[in-house]
Coordinates of all heavy atoms in Angstrom, one line a residue:
N29 N 80.1 110.9 75.4 CA 81.4 111.1 74.7 C 82.5 110.7 75.7 O 82.9 111.5 76.4 CB 81.6 112.5 74.2 CG 82.7 112.6 73.2 OD1 83.5 111.7 73.0 ND2 82.9 113.8 72.6
I30 N 82.8 109.4 75.7 CA 83.6 108.8 76.7 C 85.1 109.1 76.3 O 85.6 108.8 75.2 CB 83.4 107.3 76.9 CG1 81.9 107.1 77.3 CG2 84.3 106.7 77.9 CD1 81.5 105.7 77.3
F31 N 85.9 109.5 77.3 CA 87.3 109.7 77.1 C 88.0 108.5 77.7 O 88.9 107.9 77.0 CB 87.8 110.9 77.9 CG 89.3 111.1 77.9 CD1 89.9 111.5 76.8 CD2 90.1 110.8 79.0 CE1 91.3 111.7 76.7 CE2 91.4 111.0 79.0 CZ 92.1 111.4 77.8
A32 N 87.6 108.0 78.9 CA 88.3 106.8 79.4 C 87.4 106.2 80.5 O 86.5 106.9 81.1 CB 89.7 107.2 80.0
V33 N 87.7 105.0 80.8 CA 87.0 104.2 81.9 C 88.1 103.6 82.7 O 89.0 103.0 82.2 CB 86.0 103.2 81.4 CG1 85.4 102.5 82.6 CG2 84.9 103.9 80.5
G34 N 88.0 103.8 84.0 CA 89.0 103.3 84.9 C 88.4 102.5 86.1 O 87.2 102.6 86.4
W35 N 89.3 101.7 86.7 CA 88.9 101.1 88.0 C 89.7 101.6 89.1 O 91.0 101.8 89.0 CB 89.1 99.6 87.9 CG 88.0 98.8 87.1 CD1 88.1 98.5 85.8 CD2 86.8 98.4 87.6 NE1 86.9 97.9 85.4 CE2 86.1 97.8 86.6 CE3 86.1 98.4 88.8 CZ2 84.8 97.3 86.7 CZ3 85.0 97.9 89.0 CH2 84.3 97.3 87.9
F36 N 89.1 101.8 90.3 CA 89.7 102.3 91.4 C 89.3 101.4 92.6 O 88.4 100.6 92.5 CB 89.3 103.7 91.8 CG 89.7 104.8 90.8 CD1 89.2 104.9 89.5 CD2 90.8 105.6 91.2 CE1 89.6 105.9 88.7 CE2 91.1 106.6 90.3 CZ 90.6 106.7 89.0
R37 N 90.0 101.4 93.7 CA 89.7 100.7 94.8 C 90.0 101.5 96.1 O 90.9 102.3 96.1 CB 90.4 99.3 94.9 CG 91.9 99.4 95.2 CD 92.5 98.0 95.0 NE 94.0 98.0 95.4 CZ 94.7 97.0 95.4 NH1 94.2 95.8 94.9 NH2 96.0 97.1 95.7
Q38 N 89.3 101.2 97.1 CA 89.5 101.9 98.4 C 89.2 100.9 99.6 O 88.1 100.3 99.6 CB 88.6 103.1 98.5 CG 88.9 103.9 99.8 CD 88.1 105.2 99.7 OE1 87.1 105.4 99.1 NE2 88.7 106.2 100.4
A39 N 90.2 100.7 100.4 CA 90.1 100.0 101.6 C 89.8 100.9 102.8 O 90.2 102.1 102.8 CB 91.4 99.1 101.9
P40 N 89.2 100.5 103.8 CA 89.0 101.3 105.0 C 90.3 101.9 105.6 O 91.3 101.3 105.7 CB 88.3 100.3 106.0 CG 87.7 99.3 105.2 CD 88.7 99.1 104.0
G41 N 90.2 103.3 105.7 CA 91.3 104.0 106.2 C 92.4 104.3 105.2 O 93.4 104.9 105.6
R42 N 92.2 103.9 104.0 CA 93.1 104.2 102.9 C 92.5 105.2 101.8 O 91.3 105.2 101.7 CB 93.6 102.9 102.3 CG 94.3 102.0 103.3 CD 94.8 100.7 102.5 NE 95.4 99.8 103.4 CZ 95.9 98.6 103.0 NH1 95.9 98.3 101.7 NH2 96.5 97.8 103.9
E43 N 93.4 105.8 101.1 CA 92.9 106.6 100.0 C 92.5 105.8 98.9 O 93.0 104.7 98.6 CB 94.0 107.6 99.6 CG 94.4 108.6 100.7 CD 95.6 109.6 100.2 OE1 96.1 109.3 99.1 OE2 95.8 110.5 100.9
R44 N 91.6 106.4 98.1 CA 91.2 105.7 96.8 C 92.4 105.6 95.9 O 93.1 106.6 95.7 CB 90.1 106.4 96.2 CG 89.5 105.7 95.0 CD 88.1 106.3 94.6 NE 87.1 106.0 95.7 CZ 85.8 106.3 95.5 NH1 85.4 106.9 94.4 NH2 85.0 106.1 96.5
E45 N 92.6 104.4 95.3 CA 93.7 104.1 94.5 C 93.2 103.8 93.1 O 92.4 102.8 92.9 CB 94.6 103.0 95.1 CG 95.7 102.5 94.3 CD 96.2 101.2 94.9 OE1 95.6 100.5 95.7 OE2 97.4 100.9 94.5
G46 N 93.9 104.3 92.1 CA 93.7 104.0 90.7 C 94.4 102.7 90.4 O 95.6 102.6 90.7
I47 N 93.7 101.7 89.8 CA 94.5 100.4 89.5 C 94.6 100.1 88.0 O 95.5 99.5 87.6 CB 93.7 99.3 90.2 CG1 92.3 99.1 89.8 CG2 93.7 99.5 91.7 CD1 91.6 97.9 90.3
S48 N 93.6 100.6 87.2 CA 93.7 100.3 85.8 C 92.7 101.2 85.1 O 91.7 101.6 85.6 CB 93.4 98.9 85.6 OG 93.5 98.6 84.1
C49 N 93.0 101.6 83.8 CA 92.1 102.3 83.0 C 92.3 102.0 81.6 O 93.4 101.5 81.2 CB 92.2 103.8 83.2 SG 93.8 104.6 82.8
I50 N 91.3 102.3 80.7 CA 91.4 102.0 79.4 C 90.7 103.2 78.6 O 89.7 103.7 79.1 CB 90.8 100.7 78.9 CG1 91.1 100.3 77.5 CG2 89.3 100.7 79.3 CD1 90.7 98.9 77.2
S51 N 91.3 103.6 77.5 CA 90.7 104.7 76.7 C 89.4 104.1 76.0 O 89.2 102.9 75.8 CB 91.7 105.2 75.7 OG 92.0 104.2 74.8
S52 N 88.6 105.1 75.5 CA 87.4 104.8 74.9 C 87.5 103.8 73.7 O 86.8 102.9 73.6 CB 86.6 106.0 74.4 OG 85.4 105.7 73.8
A53 N 88.5 104.0 72.9 CA 88.8 103.3 71.7 C 89.7 102.1 72.0 O 89.9 101.2 71.2 CB 89.5 104.1 70.6
G54 N 90.2 101.9 73.2 CA 91.0 100.8 73.6 C 92.4 100.9 73.2 O 93.2 99.9 73.3
E55 N 92.9 102.1 72.7 CA 94.2 102.1 72.2 C 95.3 102.4 73.3 O 96.5 102.2 73.1 CB 94.3 103.2 71.1 CG 94.3 104.7 71.7 CD 92.8 105.2 71.9 OE1 91.9 104.4 71.8 OE2 92.7 106.4 72.1
M56 N 94.8 102.8 74.4 CA 95.7 102.9 75.6 C 95.1 102.3 76.8 O 93.9 102.2 77.0 CB 95.9 104.5 75.9 CG 96.5 105.3 74.8 SD 96.8 107.0 75.3 CE 95.1 107.6 75.5
S57 N 96.0 101.7 77.6 CA 95.5 101.1 78.9 C 96.7 101.3 79.9 O 97.8 101.7 79.6 CB 95.4 99.6 78.7 OG 96.6 99.0 78.2
Y58 N 96.3 101.2 81.1 CA 97.2 101.5 82.2 C 97.0 100.5 83.4 O 95.9 100.1 83.7 CB 97.0 103.0 82.8 CG 97.6 103.2 84.1 CD1 99.0 103.5 84.3 CD2 96.8 103.1 85.3 CE1 99.5 103.7 85.5 CE2 97.4 103.2 86.5 CZ 98.7 103.6 86.6 OH 99.2 103.8 87.9
Y59 N 98.1 100.1 84.0 CA 98.0 99.3 85.2 C 99.0 99.8 86.2 O 100.1 100.2 85.9 CB 98.4 97.8 84.8 CG 97.5 97.2 83.8 CD1 97.8 97.2 82.5 CD2 96.3 96.5 84.2 CE1 97.1 96.6 81.5 CE2 95.5 95.9 83.2 CZ 95.9 95.9 81.9 OH 95.1 95.3 81.0
S60 N 98.6 99.8 87.4 CA 99.5 100.1 88.5 C 100.5 99.0 88.6 O 100.3 97.9 88.2 CB 98.8 100.4 89.8 OG 98.2 99.2 90.3
D61 N 101.7 99.3 89.2 CA 102.7 98.3 89.3 C 102.3 97.1 90.1 O 102.7 96.0 89.8 CB 103.9 98.9 90.0 CG 104.6 100.0 89.2 OD1 104.5 99.9 87.9 OD2 105.4 100.7 89.7
E62 N 101.4 97.3 91.1 CA 101.0 96.1 91.8 C 100.1 95.2 91.0 O 99.9 94.1 91.4 CB 100.2 96.6 93.1 CG 101.1 97.4 94.0 CD 101.3 98.9 93.5 OE1 100.3 99.4 93.0 OE2 102.3 99.5 93.8
M63 N 99.4 95.7 90.0 CA 98.5 94.9 89.2 C 99.1 94.3 88.0 O 98.5 93.4 87.5 CB 97.3 95.8 88.7 CG 96.7 96.7 89.8 SD 96.3 95.9 91.3 CE 96.3 97.3 92.4
K64 N 100.2 94.8 87.5 CA 100.8 94.2 86.3 C 101.2 92.8 86.5 O 101.7 92.3 87.4 CB 102.1 95.0 86.0 CG 101.9 96.4 85.5 CD 103.2 97.1 85.3 CE 102.9 98.6 84.8 NZ 104.2 99.3 84.5
G65 N 100.7 92.0 85.5 CA 100.9 90.5 85.5 C 99.8 89.8 86.2 O 99.7 88.6 86.1
R66 N 98.9 90.5 86.9 CA 97.8 89.8 87.6 C 96.5 90.3 87.1 O 95.5 89.5 87.0 CB 97.8 90.1 89.1 CG 99.1 89.6 89.7 CD 98.9 89.5 91.2 NE 98.8 91.0 91.8 CZ 97.7 91.4 92.6 NH1 96.9 90.5 92.9 NH2 97.7 92.6 93.0
F67 N 96.3 91.6 86.8 CA 95.0 92.2 86.3 C 95.1 92.4 84.8 O 96.1 92.9 84.3 CB 94.7 93.5 87.1 CG 94.4 93.3 88.5 CD1 94.6 92.1 89.1 CD2 93.9 94.4 89.2 CE1 94.3 91.9 90.5 CE2 93.7 94.3 90.6 CZ 93.8 93.0 91.3
T68 N 93.9 92.3 84.2 CA 93.8 92.6 82.8 C 92.5 93.4 82.5 O 91.5 92.9 82.9 CB 93.8 91.4 81.9 OG1 95.1 90.7 82.1 CG2 93.8 91.8 80.4
I69 N 92.7 94.6 81.9 CA 91.4 95.4 81.7 C 91.1 95.2 80.2 O 91.9 95.1 79.3 CB 91.7 96.9 82.0 CG1 90.4 97.6 81.9 CG2 92.7 97.5 81.1 CD1 90.4 99.0 82.6
S70 N 89.8 95.1 79.9 CA 89.3 95.0 78.5 C 88.0 95.7 78.4 O 87.3 96.1 79.4 CB 89.1 93.5 78.2 OG 88.2 92.9 79.0
R71 N 87.6 95.9 77.1 CA 86.4 96.7 76.8 C 85.6 95.9 75.7 O 86.2 95.4 74.9 CB 86.8 98.1 76.3 CG 85.6 98.9 75.8 CD 86.1 100.3 75.4 NE 85.1 101.1 74.8 CZ 84.3 101.9 75.5 NH1 84.4 101.9 76.8 NH2 83.4 102.6 74.9
D72 N 84.3 95.9 76.0 CA 83.4 95.4 75.0 C 82.4 96.6 74.6 O 81.5 96.9 75.3 CB 82.6 94.3 75.5 CG 81.7 93.5 74.5 OD1 81.3 94.2 73.5 OD2 81.4 92.4 74.6
K73 N 82.8 97.2 73.5 CA 82.1 98.4 73.1 C 80.6 98.1 72.8 O 79.7 99.0 73.2 CB 82.8 99.0 71.8 CG 82.2 100.4 71.5 CD 82.9 101.0 70.3 CE 82.3 102.3 69.9 NZ 83.1 103.0 68.8

């Protein structure tokens, strides 16, 4: 029973950073400011 799926990244010496996520039904999505215009999240149910 999935609520959401997200992508995170972590570079050495840095904290893990959320970059994008999408709700189970795809009705909501999120991008960090650094990713907007460059990254696109999508879902294939």
Side-chain angles (χ1 to χ4, degrees):
N29 192 354
I30 301 172
F31 177 75
V33 179
W35 283 96
F36 294 73
R37 69 183 184 186
Q38 186 171 24
R42 299 181 181 180
E43 296 182 351
R44 186 166 294 186
E45 173 191 20
I47 61 172
S48 185
C49 66
I50 189 168
S51 63
S52 179
E55 73 274 11
M56 296 185 296
S57 61
Y58 163 83
Y59 302 93
S60 68
D61 290 340
E62 299 78 37
M63 317 306 161
K64 291 179 180 178
R66 299 192 298 127
F67 291 9
T68 303
I69 192 168
S70 62
R71 175 180 174 86
D72 188 331
K73 186 176 181 179

